[in-house]
Amino acid sequence: MTAESKRDTREKILLGGIVIKAGLSKADRAFLLGGLIELARLMPGSPEHRRLSHIGEDAFKITSLNGIPSRIEEVAE
């Protein structure tokens, strides 16, 4: 496995961990993709972008949400 392949795999694991931490592991893939596309349309720094960022920051600080460790990075290691 090349270094680039390992980085790609790690990134996918981290992103999957975020989906799980959000409680969306059973959500329909089209729903998830649609939501992510909508999020990508938000202007960085806009009130909605800031609001959602704060929610995410708080979620990472929680000890456990749906039984997933608060530091998703540790799950991928």
Side-chain angles (χ1 to χ4, degrees), residues 47-61:
E48 185 66 359
H49 187 276
R50 286 194 310 270
R51 184 183 76 82
L52 294 172
S53 291
H54 290 300
I55 291 169
E57 289 168 5
D58 289 345
F60 277 118
K61 293 175 188 172

Side-chain angles (χ1 to χ4, degrees), residues 36-71:
L36 291 170
I37 290 169
E38 284 294 308
L39 289 173
R41 292 177 179 160
L42 291 177
M43 293 295 295
S46 69
E48 185 66 359
H49 187 276
R50 286 194 310 270
R51 184 183 76 82
L52 294 172
S53 291
H54 290 300
I55 291 169
E57 289 168 5
D58 289 345
F60 277 118
K61 293 175 188 172
I62 295 172
T63 304
S64 178
L65 182 63
N66 296 328
I68 304 300
S70 63
R71 293 191 45 87

Side-chain angles (χ1 to χ4, degrees), residues 6-18 68-69 71-77:
K6 286 182 181 180
R7 278 192 298 275
D8 185 55
T9 298
R10 179 172 170 71
E11 182 177 8
K12 289 174 182 173
I13 291 169
L14 291 172
L15 292 172
I18 290 170
I68 304 300
R71 293 191 45 87
I72 291 173
E73 296 86 0
E74 294 171 1
V75 173
E77 293 178 349

